[in-house]
Amino acid sequence: MPEEKEVPEKVIVIGSGPAAWTAAIYSARAALQPLVVEGAITEENRLAGTLPLGQLALTTEVENYPGFPVGDLGAYLDSAVAEDRRRLMPPHNKEGVSGPELMELIRQQAMNFGARVVTDDVVEVDFDRRPFRLTTSDGATHESHAVIVATGARANYLGLPSEEKYKNRGVSACAVCDGALPRFRNKPLAVVGGGDSAVEEADYLAKFASTVYMIHRRDELRASKIMARRAADNPKIEILWNRTLAEVLGDDANGATGVRLQSTVGQPDLTKEVTGVFLAIGHTPNTAFLNGKLELTEKNYIRWTTPARTYTSVEGVFAAGDVADDYYRQAITASGSGCMAALDAERYLAAKGL
Ligand code: NAP
């Protein structure tokens, strides 16, 4: 009997954040019947911060995604999200939309238009052949004429047990996402890092906080001169030089309540009371599985090869969201570029007659 030939997909979306699911919505509505490989639900992915639904699923309230002012979405969530997944979601807090809720809604929207889902990790890509071929961790292969990579990035943490313990209870890696929450208002906060992101986060947090301690391991910031000046000029920012975060202090009732800081120049430990600790020590894009098959930047992000397009170094492979963007890194910009990637893929397929 002749071997059954695999019918290639028109488009496969790899990823599960706002970029991936928005790409799925647009390509589904363009009748491309996208297959979304959303990642596996494993302990390894949980620890790495790469579970399905991405970084937004690790945050609490989302107050800057247009369309979700403060209000009670509970009834809408009940009616919009598939029952089996709604049952697994945390209770709605009646303040607008949370990261996990927003992601479930965007995912559901894509499913409603016919997106199909594989809950597994892509472990190998072959972009040298056409159609392209992807292999998932269970050994299955999937062929596709176009691929949209939207695997995002993960915030770097230091790896301290106390940091893990108080994540979402004072410890965060996104001031723009979490900074305005009540627990951080008019209270001292800490930002770890000395780059542009750390200054930006400290500057942003200073709008709400009583004091922001920047904890930097050297005696000179990595941040650009203009950003370093911004930190120096802000009366609410105090830089603690030559210090590293040794432990987040806290308790079950209050979450994070302070930090213990070690000296990198032989001084005694220092303790500061804070209600929030923000890590700003860089992000790592989820590009390792590409294994050199797409051109990356020097920081391992996928390189967009054409201004204002989502093209990559391989024709027919598109990139969207944080995996190709270390600059804006917002849910709305990721969604926007997911939409762009779907339109780019649709036009590519049409031009090739596929
Ligand atoms: P970054 O420039 O790589 O800075 C990371 C900072 O974290 C450095 O100060 C580094 O210390 C510190 N760090 C790293 N690992 C650490 C560890 N294990 N323990 C303690 N400290 C640690 O990253 P970024 O600030 O996220 O910036 C990324 C890129 O985006 C940069 O090109 C930046 O210019 C750009 N950006 C620009 C803007 C803007 O212009 N408005 C805003 C944000 C980001 P060392 O300095 O000692 O290495």
Side-chain angles (χ1 to χ4, degrees):
M1 211 168 75
E3 203 180 306
E4 207 177 306
K5 192 141 172 39
E6 192 176 334
V7 179
E9 304 288 343
K10 285 187 189 300
V11 60
I12 291 183
V13 180
I14 314 174
S16 185
W21 290 111
T22 305
I25 292 171
Y26 273 78
S27 44
R29 288 173 57 82
L32 300 178
Q33 296 135 343
L35 181 72
V36 181
V37 186
E38 66 171 354
I41 301 169
T42 59
E43 182 61 8
E44 197 184 338
N45 282 352
R46 191 189 71 76
L47 290 174
T50 56
L51 280 176
L53 303 186
Q55 292 189 88
L56 264 192
L58 305 175
T59 65
T60 49
E61 286 81 18
V62 178
E63 296 176 330
N64 54 10
Y65 197 94
F68 297 95
V70 172
D72 185 353
L73 266 188
Y76 177 61
L77 283 160
D78 289 344
S79 64
V81 178
E83 210 183 315
D84 55 331
R85 292 184 71 91
R86 181 74 183 108
R87 269 201 307 271
L88 301 174
M89 290 167 64
H92 176 62
N93 72 1
K94 303 190 177 164
E95 287 188 4
V97 71
S98 72
E101 288 167 353
L102 179 58
M103 285 318 308
E104 286 289 350
L105 288 170
I106 303 178
R107 184 182 190 276
Q108 184 68 51
Q109 199 171 345
M111 306 287 283
N112 292 351
F113 292 116
R116 290 157 302 130
V117 184
V118 169
T119 305
D120 203 353
D121 291 325
V122 172
V123 293
E124 201 183 322
V125 298
D126 187 348
F127 294 150
D128 294 329
R129 69 195 292 284
R130 281 164 200 263
F132 305 123
R133 182 183 281 160
L134 310 178
T135 308
T136 46
S137 70
D138 61 359
T141 57
H142 302 272
E143 291 189 347
S144 186
H145 294 300
V147 171
I148 296 172
V149 183
T151 43
R154 54 191 189 274
N156 295 338
Y157 284 87
L158 293 165
L160 304 170
S162 58
E163 186 187 56
E164 181 64 31
K165 183 170 176 191
Y166 296 115
K167 259 187 203 170
N168 279 341
R169 303 192 60 226
V171 174
S172 166
C174 183
V176 180
C177 318
D178 299 332
L181 296 177
R183 68 169 293 128
F184 302 130
R185 282 186 185 262
N186 303 315
K187 301 277 176 20
L189 305 175
V191 172
V192 183
D196 280 335
S197 292
V199 175
E200 199 170 64
E201 302 247 311
D203 199 49
Y204 181 81
L205 291 169
K207 296 187 205 337
F208 313 102
S210 56
T211 304
V212 180
Y213 301 111
M214 272 185 73
I215 301 159
H216 186 37
R217 60 186 175 183
R218 294 187 291 134
D219 63 0
E220 188 189 9
L221 293 182
R222 175 174 297 279
S224 54
K225 293 261 177 312
I226 187 165
M227 293 296 275
R229 170 114 327 265
R230 191 175 296 175
D233 286 350
N234 191 324
K236 281 191 179 175
I237 297 177
E238 182 182 336
I239 305 181
L240 303 175
W241 302 103
N242 301 313
R243 292 278 172 188
T244 56
L245 177 64
E247 187 184 0
V248 180
L249 308 171
D251 54 58
D252 287 345
N254 300 300
T257 57
V259 283
R260 182 169 63 79
L261 306 174
Q262 267 166 356
S263 167
T264 55
V265 290
Q267 298 294 309
D269 283 6
L270 181 68
T271 300
K272 291 280 183 191
E273 273 182 29
V274 296
T275 61
V277 182
F278 291 79
L279 280 298
I281 57 170
H283 285 73
T284 301
N286 300 315
T287 50
F289 73 100
L290 294 168
N291 202 18
K293 301 288 167 55
L294 285 187
E295 199 181 311
L296 304 180
T297 66
E298 58 287 353
K299 292 182 209 149
N300 290 327
Y301 287 78
I302 296 176
R303 190 182 292 288
W304 275 320
T305 52
T306 309
R309 298 287 180 271
T310 62
Y311 304 168
T312 69
S313 56
V314 174
E315 194 189 12
V317 179
F318 306 88
D322 288 12
V323 76
D325 172 21
D326 70 346
Y327 191 76
Y328 294 108
R329 299 193 314 229
Q330 302 300 303
I332 185 66
T333 53
S335 268
S337 70
C339 161
M340 290 160 68
L343 297 177
D344 287 342
E346 184 190 353
R347 285 167 194 169
Y348 163 80
L349 292 167
K352 296 277 177 200
L354 293 166

